[in-house]
């Protein structure tokens, strides 16, 4: 049975936060949506000791929260409860709400204590454990890009950039690394950093990205890959909540504007050896054989994991040539036109930047897909081929699925995905996404009428 988080962690938190009396329990479903409930202070000891019951159907919802009955996780077992158990180290204040508010992440288990198969955090944990076989440990960091929108326009379905918080108007242009944007939204950004510090999140470099209202904040790498994904989950919640406090909506959609760049989730990964050193470290920027095998595995399995990295209809609007989003299975050194980038830096910092996933992807599943590809490449000693020199968009290369239906089809048929994530997980995820796609494309949009109302 998996060990429970120690009660002394809870007791230490309660002692340090005497006013805390509203604790949000956070479960991240397969679609990456955060769900849960709020507990009172008096309920917390039992939650940490015994866990909390949650309906099993919470693991079979689509992105809108609709039950996907075809998964077999709704009526077949009477929507039986599973047990949500707190994740050690995840109990933190939620300072944007009040000094009474706190939150913690949970993982789902069966009644015998075994991990629930369709909890995405458990999926990532299983992949991480595979690295014990080769005496290596994944080190990961997740970068998230997001857009800020005017609240009223976003709610109305016609989002525009928000007015600057200092009264300087709205951002309108491509202005990468524009310092004025940081000044214009300074109050929001300062509150993000304060909240991140209160939660122990290692929020580091902030940049204004390549579109009006688009930002990126880098989370420092973690020697615990599960913790890196937990921090991405916490950070997304934090950014959204703080933006609302400032009258804005923060969105992690992959492609909210047709004319501006999309938002990615860049996953940075290296491997630590038994001595605690970077196993990818090498004076050659193209890496040592171990790193090249890892890149080979990521290239070889890229198509099979696209459904995880681009899980929504909107995800596929992001993949356009010369848009800073990749469109094929390529790799290169210090090159942002490829899918797998080896950033510039000293030998001891050598790592892989995986640039395919959108900001809308589930961080647990996105990282699981990256690590599975790396493990596969290392164990099979796969060759990545030559690194791309120059503009990767102009070179012939192997494309990956660039539409939702095809990506789900490839994932469902993938023996590789089933071997790392499990048959039931793959079937459940694909069933959810196929049902969601069917509902999405059945609904006429304003664009249908713009294109076809009078012309056909």
């Amino acid at each position: 049975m998996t060990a429970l988080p120690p009660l002394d962690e809870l007791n230490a938190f309660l002692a340090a936060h005497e006013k805390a009396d509203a604790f949000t329990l956070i479960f991240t479903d397969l679609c990456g949506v955060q769900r849960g409930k709020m507990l009172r202070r008096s309920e917390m000891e039992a939650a940490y000791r015994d866990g909390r019951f949650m309906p099993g159907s919470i693991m079979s919802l689509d992105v809108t929260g609709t039950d996907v009955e075809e998964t077999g996780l709704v009526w077949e077992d009477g929507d039986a409860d599973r047990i949500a158990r707190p994740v050690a180290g995840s109990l933190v204040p939620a300072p944007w709400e009040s000094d009474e508010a706190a939150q913690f992440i949970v993982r789902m288990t069966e009644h015998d204590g075994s991990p629930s198969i369709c909890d995405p955090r458990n999926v990532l944990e299983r992949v991480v454990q595979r690295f014990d076989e080769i005496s290596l440990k994944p080190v990961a960091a997740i970068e998230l890009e997001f857009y800020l929108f005017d609240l009223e326009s976003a709610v109305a379905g016609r989002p525009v950039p928000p007015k600057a918080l200092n009264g300087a108007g709205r951002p309108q242009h491509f202005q990468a690394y524009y310092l004025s944007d940081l000044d214009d939204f300074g109050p929001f950004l300062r509150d993000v950093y304060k909240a991140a510090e209160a939660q122990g999140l290692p929020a580091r470099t902030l940049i204004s990205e390549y579109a009006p209202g688009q930002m990126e904040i880098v989370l420092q790498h973690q020697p615990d890959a599960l913790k890196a994904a937990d921090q991405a989950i916490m950070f997304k919640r934090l950014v959204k909540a703080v933006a609302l406090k400032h009258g804005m909506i923060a969105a992690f959609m992959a492609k909210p504007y047709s004319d501006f760049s999309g938002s990615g989730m860049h996953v940075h990964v290296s491997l630590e050896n038994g001595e605690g050193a970077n196993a990818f470290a090498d004076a050659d920027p193209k890496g040592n054989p171990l790193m090249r095998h890892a890149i080979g595995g990521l290239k070889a399995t890229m198509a099979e994991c696209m459904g995880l990295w681009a899980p929504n209809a909107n995800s596929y609007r992001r993949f356009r040539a010369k848009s800073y989003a990749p469109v094929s299975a390529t790799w290169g050194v210090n090159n942002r036109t490829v899918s797998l980038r080896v950033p510039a830096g000293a030998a001891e910092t050598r790592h892989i930047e995986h640039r395919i996933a959108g900001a809308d992807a589930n961080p647990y599943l996105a990282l699981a897909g990256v690590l599975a590809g790396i493990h596969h490449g290392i164990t099979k000693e796969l060759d990545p081929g030559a690194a791309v020199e120059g503009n990767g968009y102009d070179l012939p290369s192997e494309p990956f699925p660039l539409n939702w239906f095809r990506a789900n089809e490839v994932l469902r048929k993938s023996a590789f995905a089933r071997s790392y994530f499990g048959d039931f997980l793959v079937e459940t995820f694909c069933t959810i996404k196929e049902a969601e796609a069917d509902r999405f494309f059945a609904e006429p949009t304003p664009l249908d009428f713009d294109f076809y109302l009078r012309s056909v």
Side-chain angles (χ1 to χ4, degrees):
M1 181 179 294
T2 303
L4 295 178
L7 279 172
D8 57 2
E9 177 187 335
L10 170 64
N11 292 331
F13 183 90
L14 295 178
H17 301 83
E18 295 180 356
K19 294 183 179 180
D21 194 33
F23 296 80
T24 301
L25 175 158
I26 301 170
F27 170 73
T28 301
D29 71 10
L30 285 173
C31 295
V33 179
Q34 297 176 9
R35 306 187 186 278
K37 58 178 70 175
M38 185 172 289
L39 307 182
R40 300 301 300 274
R41 187 183 185 97
S42 59
E43 300 177 278
M44 289 298 291
E45 181 177 346
Y48 263 69
R49 184 184 62 243
D50 305 320
R52 289 286 299 203
F53 290 128
M54 295 280 281
S57 59
I58 202 171
M59 293 182 284
S60 68
L61 303 177
D62 73 7
V63 75
T64 70
T66 301
D67 283 329
V68 179
E69 298 177 18
E70 296 90 337
T71 62
L73 289 171
V74 184
W75 310 123
E76 283 77 359
D77 67 353
D79 194 12
D81 280 333
R82 271 65 174 183
I83 303 174
R85 301 191 185 279
V87 170
S90 69
L91 178 57
V92 293
W96 56 83
E97 295 184 26
S98 71
D99 57 3
E100 297 180 355
Q103 66 179 45
F104 61 101
I105 293 172
V106 297
R107 56 190 294 272
M108 300 292 281
T109 70
E110 303 302 314
H111 288 264
D112 63 1
S114 61
S116 296
I117 295 172
C118 290
D119 177 340
R121 192 179 191 277
N122 293 338
V123 175
L124 174 58
E125 184 175 37
R126 290 197 299 273
V127 175
V128 169
Q129 289 170 350
R130 296 284 292 269
F131 283 83
D132 293 341
E133 305 165 0
I134 54 177
S135 301
L136 293 168
K137 181 180 180 182
V139 176
I142 294 176
E143 290 180 5
L144 284 162
E145 297 169 341
F146 60 92
Y147 273 91
L148 295 173
F149 295 124
D150 172 81
L151 178 60
E152 291 186 6
S153 68
V155 171
R158 297 286 184 180
V160 298
K163 292 181 180 178
L165 299 180
N166 60 8
R170 299 183 197 273
Q172 301 179 42
H173 306 291
F174 291 104
Q175 289 285 9
Y177 290 75
Y178 192 43
L179 293 179
S180 292
D181 282 346
L182 306 187
D183 296 333
D184 293 349
F185 296 97
F188 160 72
L189 299 170
R190 286 192 292 273
D191 285 349
V192 166
Y193 275 118
K194 287 178 184 177
E197 183 176 355
Q199 293 197 330
L201 295 179
R204 295 296 185 261
T205 306
L206 163 69
I207 61 173
S208 169
E209 267 289 350
Y210 192 55
Q214 189 183 35
M215 304 284 180
E216 177 187 87
I217 297 181
V218 176
L219 296 175
Q220 187 179 20
H221 67 274
Q222 295 295 321
D224 180 343
L226 277 165
K227 187 172 183 179
D230 288 339
Q231 290 176 341
I233 292 292
M234 294 167 64
F235 185 70
K236 290 181 75 170
R237 173 175 163 80
L238 181 157
V239 168
K240 290 179 179 181
V242 174
L244 281 174
K245 297 286 283 189
H246 287 274
M248 303 180 292
I249 281 184
F252 292 85
M253 288 176 63
K255 185 73 169 177
Y257 296 125
S258 61
D259 294 335
F260 293 115
S261 56
S263 292
M265 178 191 298
H266 296 167
V267 180
H268 295 253
V269 178
S270 61
L271 297 176
E272 186 180 283
N273 62 25
E275 288 73 46
N278 182 2
F280 287 166
D282 197 277
D284 184 351
K286 294 181 181 179
N288 58 21
L290 184 74
M291 190 176 84
R292 290 173 63 82
H293 291 326
I295 294 171
L298 287 169
K299 282 189 65 180
T301 60
M302 198 171 287
E304 293 163 274
C305 287
M306 274 301 293
L308 303 179
W309 298 325
N312 303 306
N314 180 259
S315 306
Y316 293 87
R317 303 190 194 282
R318 175 172 160 260
F319 299 108
R320 295 290 183 270
K322 300 179 182 179
S323 68
Y324 290 104
V327 294
S328 58
T330 53
W331 79 283
V333 177
N334 195 19
N335 188 333
R336 287 185 170 87
T337 70
V338 298
S339 298
L340 306 169
R341 173 177 176 253
V342 180
E348 62 271 16
T349 68
R350 200 74 64 222
H351 69 278
I352 301 166
E353 179 188 11
H354 184 279
R355 298 173 56 80
I356 302 169
D360 57 337
N362 182 324
Y364 294 120
L365 296 181
L367 183 53
V370 172
L371 294 180
I374 288 174
H375 184 275
H376 177 74
I378 290 173
T379 56
K380 303 297 183 184
E381 298 186 348
L382 299 182
D383 183 356
V388 167
E389 304 283 349
N391 186 355
Y393 292 117
D394 289 342
L395 299 176
S397 55
E398 183 179 350
F400 41 65
L402 291 176
N403 75 73
W404 200 12
F405 292 101
R406 177 60 179 158
N408 284 335
E409 179 185 10
V410 173
L411 175 60
R412 185 186 285 277
K413 293 179 179 178
S414 170
F416 157 78
R418 290 172 180 272
S419 69
Y420 279 88
F421 314 136
D423 289 333
F424 190 71
L425 182 282
V426 171
E427 288 290 339
T428 301
F429 180 85
C430 291
T431 297
I432 290 171
K433 286 301 171 181
E434 286 164 5
E436 185 181 310
D438 183 67
R439 290 177 54 224
F440 184 91
F441 286 104
E443 185 68 29
T445 70
L447 195 61
D448 285 76
F449 295 101
D450 289 342
F451 273 41
Y452 308 121
L453 180 65
R454 301 186 65 188
S455 62
V456 296

